[in-house]
Amino acid sequence: MMYLRKANERGKVNFGWLKSQHSFSFGHYYDAKHMGFSALRVINDDVVQAGRGFETHGHRDMEIISYVVSGALKHKDSTGNEYVVPAGDVQVMSAGKGIMHSEFNPSSEEPVNFLQIWILPNEKGGTPGYSQKTFGTQESANDHDIKRELLVSDDGREGSLRIKQNAAISRLTLMAGEAWEQGTEDRKGYLHIISGKAQAMVGSETNAIEIGAGDALGVFEEDTIRLKASDELVALWFDLPK
């Protein structure tokens, strides 16, 4: 059994300065069939035009991860953090008992494209936190294999950024013809394609499918996902509680 989310079926928002595609129900977009997957609550694929952004607003009891695909994102929050997050960096904001923040595109010319990811925490309240890191070096790769880099985890292992949930996010990078396989055991898994294409096979299904940029697959317990890249592929793999 698998959960399939096609890119062209996602919720869409266009405010001129912001174009966004929502994998799960968010804001004015509501679909009872797509409310999240395990502890994963939001994946918004945002494109923000030059010099524009999200004004100061609040969050609480949510682990918020920003993955910058292209351009740069300027973050400022009520705890005193003020940073520019360039492409290749990952940012984690633990909202805890409450935090105010803003996000802007600091460029005067180029848009910024980033994935805004929300994961429900396994504990409420607490002091808000912020962390940021550049990934993509051989030293940061999981098991010294650049095909899979651990970005986020519950315990900060392998140099990853820490969140308050028994979950992990890894980045997969496959060249054309390369393959990757992962079993879920007693967990759930969710694959979101950032760029490229692949043939995907889920063990409990009878047919392979082709997935590309913006597509996603959810995999349930005691199953396996297999990928073979059709061209250069970048994706995020979420290891999630059942």
Side-chain angles (χ1 to χ4, degrees):
M1 180 180 179
M2 70 177 182
Y3 168 91
L4 177 62
R5 190 61 163 136
K6 296 295 289 182
N8 60 2
E9 297 173 355
R10 294 178 295 178
K12 296 176 176 61
V13 170
N14 187 347
F15 295 127
W17 65 272
L18 167 68
K19 292 182 180 180
S20 183
Q21 298 187 82
H22 303 331
S23 296
F24 305 114
S25 294
F26 184 89
H28 297 295
Y29 167 67
Y30 175 79
D31 187 334
K33 296 180 181 178
H34 304 289
M35 297 299 295
F37 191 83
S38 179
L40 177 59
R41 181 60 187 84
V42 169
I43 299 182
N44 290 348
D45 190 346
D46 292 339
V47 176
V48 178
Q49 296 304 309
R52 303 297 298 271
F54 300 92
E55 300 286 350
T56 301
H57 58 284
H59 295 283
R60 64 178 300 169
D61 294 327
M62 192 67 70
E63 303 299 286
I64 300 173
I65 300 103
S66 296
Y67 179 97
V68 182
V69 178
S70 62
L73 184 68
K74 185 175 182 179
H75 167 95
K76 184 176 182 180
D77 65 47
S78 54
T79 66
N81 293 301
E82 185 171 355
Y83 297 102
V84 172
V85 187
D89 272 29
V90 178
Q91 169 194 278
V92 171
M93 185 177 72
S94 182
K97 63 185 178 182
I99 192 170
M100 303 293 291
H101 82 132
S102 61
E103 295 169 298
F104 276 87
N105 180 355
S107 173
S108 60
E109 299 178 356
E110 301 293 332
V112 57
N113 176 207
F114 70 103
L115 299 180
Q116 181 181 166
I117 299 162
W118 293 10
I119 292 179
L120 296 166
N122 54 17
E123 59 181 82
K124 292 187 176 182
T127 302
Y130 178 90
S131 56
Q132 176 183 337
K133 185 174 179 179
T134 301
F135 290 89
T137 64
Q138 183 67 44
E139 288 75 20
S140 70
N142 180 41
D143 293 331
H144 304 289
D145 183 357
I146 201 68
K147 293 179 184 178
R148 180 172 177 176
E149 299 171 272
L150 185 63
L151 308 178
V152 173
S153 70
D154 61 337
D155 58 4
R157 61 188 180 274
E158 301 175 29
S160 59
L161 301 177
R162 190 169 183 172
I163 59 170
K164 294 191 296 185
Q165 180 54 267
N166 182 18
I169 306 173
S170 298
R171 176 169 56 196
L172 304 178
T173 306
L174 301 178
M175 302 303 292
E178 289 187 325
W180 173 79
E181 179 177 325
Q182 179 67 49
T184 56
E185 298 179 354
D186 62 346
R187 310 271 293 168
K188 290 181 179 177
Y190 189 87
L191 180 79
H192 179 91
I193 306 298
I194 296 173
S195 61
K197 295 180 180 179
Q199 291 289 320
M201 183 70 194
V202 174
S204 58
E205 303 292 324
T206 56
N207 297 312
I209 60 172
E210 184 172 272
I211 51 177
D215 292 339
L217 281 176
V219 186
F220 295 85
E221 298 94 326
E222 304 301 332
D223 213 337
T224 302
I225 182 171
R226 299 176 179 89
L227 292 181
K228 186 173 182 180
S230 306
D231 53 23
E232 186 174 352
L233 180 82
V234 180
L236 295 182
W237 171 252
F238 296 80
D239 176 33
L240 300 164
K242 61 182 179 180

